[in-house]
Amino acid sequence: MYPRVSDTLTSANAGKYTVSIRLRPGGLSFAGVNPDDRADLFFEEIALDRKKPYVQALKDTFFSHAFFTYSFRQVFVLCVNRRYTVVPASVFVEKQKDELMSFAFSSSGYRTLCEPADDLEAKIVFGMQSDVYEFCSRSLLRPRYAHAVTRLLSLWRKQSLTCLPKQQYVALHEGVMYAACFDRGALCFVNSFNCEDMADVLYYTLYIWKQVGMEQLHDELYIATDAATYEKVSVELKEYVPNVRAFVFPWPEAPSGAPPDVMAFFACES
């Protein structure tokens, strides 16, 4: 299926758009926004041929659609995986990032990347499949590599600065849960989990709540997910934590159905 991108997107005016190519198991999404016109944006999910190795299916998709080669204002390649860690900028050493990832994650075949999270005074160090990284670097014009959690953390921290209670933030999409806790802008906890069902979501959320030492009646829990999932999760969690709210992204024009990290991309890159 040919992705339904913006009607105004052409090779001639692609320079107006900042785009994100979000890589996930079995597919990708293509999203773009014109920072000079917040209403001019697009988002489309693209399934890849699961019978082929991921990088080959990715190549086939790129070569089938010319817009991947356009000269955009900026191209982000967004990695969606659990191979990441947050390192304080004060102790980060560029030459040691490979050693750090080898210690944290045992499997091979990944390229170690990092991006700054200046508002957190940290670096997000993450892994990307080496063959996928090499293909994207050859095929895209000056791509910037980013992790799905980075912009979520940025938005969550910004909101927490204005709140006196501690906040736990959770993003749920496609069986993965990103979670972080903040105390007036200070990051207290960050991790991600595979969640196959509601029981997993409840377990990890409440375990984090207890581990961080949050107060049941005073502190707040924000959930970023689709409306149907939020309805189910919030009903269950309110049995234990009364202050459960939907996290509202500061982007009313963003398309419905976009994953939380893409919503954060729209909000941070416009």
Side-chain angles (χ1 to χ4, degrees):
M1 180 182 69
Y2 195 88
R4 301 183 300 277
V5 298
S6 170
D7 293 336
T8 62
L9 174 61
T10 67
S11 59
N13 66 13
K16 298 190 301 182
Y17 293 92
T18 297
V19 302
S20 164
I21 300 173
R22 179 183 188 268
L23 304 178
R24 59 175 177 79
L28 61 87
S29 66
F30 184 62
V33 61
N34 176 358
D36 300 322
D37 180 1
R38 290 168 60 93
D40 185 7
L41 53 83
F42 51 84
F43 170 76
E44 180 66 20
E45 291 278 5
I46 305 172
L48 301 182
D49 188 347
R50 290 180 175 268
K51 297 179 181 179
K52 298 179 181 179
Y54 186 87
V55 70
Q56 183 59 55
L58 187 63
K59 290 178 181 179
D60 292 345
T61 298
F62 270 52
F63 296 149
S64 298
H65 305 304
F67 58 77
F68 284 115
T69 64
Y70 288 174
S71 297
F72 295 104
R73 176 182 293 193
Q74 181 64 68
V75 177
F76 287 89
V77 178
L78 191 63
C79 300
V80 182
N81 59 37
R82 296 183 56 213
R83 300 179 63 85
Y84 74 92
T85 187
V86 181
V87 183
S90 60
V91 300
F92 176 76
V93 179
E94 177 74 23
K95 293 181 180 180
Q96 295 178 355
K97 68 177 188 289
D98 289 328
E99 182 180 349
L100 174 65
M101 288 298 286
S102 296
F103 175 79
F105 304 98
S106 59
S107 57
S108 60
Y110 284 80
R111 176 78 173 234
T112 301
L113 304 170
C114 70
E115 66 171 325
D118 293 336
D119 48 356
L120 295 171
E121 298 182 352
K123 302 284 186 179
I124 309 298
V125 183
F126 60 99
M128 182 179 184
Q129 288 176 267
S130 296
D131 52 358
V132 174
Y133 170 83
E134 292 166 2
F135 171 71
C136 290
S137 297
R138 293 193 308 267
S139 304
L140 299 169
L141 182 64
R142 299 185 301 275
R144 289 176 59 184
Y145 295 92
H147 195 276
V149 76
T150 306
R151 282 150 189 79
L152 286 169
L153 290 175
S154 180
L155 290 180
W156 292 341
R157 175 189 177 275
K158 184 177 181 179
Q159 177 171 293
S160 76
L161 287 170
T162 64
C163 303
L164 288 177
K166 293 180 182 178
Q167 300 85 41
Q168 179 180 353
Y169 296 90
V170 170
L172 298 170
H173 188 70
E174 295 177 338
V176 176
M177 169 179 163
Y178 291 108
C181 297
F182 288 89
D183 184 0
R184 283 173 285 184
L187 180 63
C188 306
F189 177 94
V190 59
N191 208 339
S192 59
F193 309 90
N194 292 325
C195 293
E196 297 182 359
D197 52 33
M198 184 69 68
D200 289 338
V201 175
L202 293 174
Y203 172 79
Y204 289 121
T205 301
L206 296 175
Y207 177 80
I208 294 166
W209 188 275
K210 180 179 179 180
Q211 184 179 16
V212 176
M214 300 181 71
E215 296 183 13
Q216 183 181 16
L217 300 180
H218 181 64
D219 294 331
E220 301 168 339
L221 171 60
Y222 288 89
I223 302 173
T225 189
D226 61 271
T229 301
Y230 172 76
E231 186 66 26
K232 295 177 182 177
V233 172
S234 62
V235 168
E236 296 285 344
L237 284 170
K238 284 180 180 178
E239 294 290 326
Y240 308 95
V241 180
N243 298 320
V244 181
R245 300 177 176 88
F247 180 75
V248 179
F249 288 92
W251 186 267
E253 300 91 343
S256 61
D261 50 87
V262 172
M263 298 287 283
F265 160 78
F266 281 128
C268 294
E269 301 302 331
S270 61

